[in-house]
Amino acid sequence: MQNRNTQLDLAFAALAHETRRALLEQLAGGAMRVTEIAAPFDLSLNTISKHLRVLEEAGLVTRRIEGRDHWIEADLSAIDPGLSWIDRQRRYWTERREAYRQIVEAAPQQSKKRSKPHGRRRRTR
């Protein structure tokens, strides 16, 4: 379980940066050379390469080297454990919210049944 959690942590950490998310969106169309990936960004090739390495370490992209060209391709299977975790959390909190809603809706009815009209009390000194 530790390795799976570590991979999940790496994937979430990689996705936490907007540039890396933009790189993944760009790779949705298929494999690209690093220079093509870097072109639309106002960042150095070195900076893009560092972001790609983070994505690669998280298992979100794969690299294929052909001669001098490095081809990068998205592999989003690394986020499958994260999606499963999110689904479990969503189910849990949806159930909790529904249970809470039922309690809140039932509360006014219970308090009406329990409450009795109180007359005014006189204060004694």
Side-chain angles (χ1 to χ4, degrees), residues 51-117:
H51 282 299
L52 289 172
R53 264 186 251 123
V54 171
L55 291 169
E56 196 171 7
E57 289 171 4
L60 296 170
V61 298
T62 57
R63 182 182 302 258
R64 183 178 81 245
I65 301 173
E66 293 179 4
R68 296 181 71 183
D69 290 327
H70 288 233
W71 289 85
I72 308 294
E73 187 170 19
D75 179 7
L76 301 181
S77 63
I79 62 171
D80 287 345
L83 296 174
S84 296
W85 181 85
I86 290 169
D87 285 341
R88 283 192 309 274
Q89 295 304 310
R90 180 181 294 133
R91 278 193 306 273
Y92 173 79
W93 288 108
T94 299
E95 290 170 7
R96 302 299 336 137
R97 185 179 60 223
E98 180 60 24
Y100 178 73
R101 185 187 63 76
Q102 290 175 0
I103 290 169
V104 169
E105 286 178 356
Q109 295 168 1
Q110 290 175 357
S111 64
K112 286 179 186 176
K113 291 177 186 175
R114 290 182 187 165
S115 64
K116 296 178 184 174

Side-chain angles (χ1 to χ4, degrees), residues 11-27 37 40-43 47-48 50-52 54-55 60:
F12 278 141
L15 293 171
H17 197 285
E18 67 179 318
T19 299
R20 292 191 283 268
R21 290 191 307 271
L23 291 171
L24 283 173
E25 286 177 23
Q26 192 173 0
L27 289 166
I37 295 169
F41 293 91
D42 190 23
L43 299 169
T47 300
I48 293 295
K50 287 179 181 180
H51 282 299
L52 289 172
V54 171
L55 291 169
L60 296 170

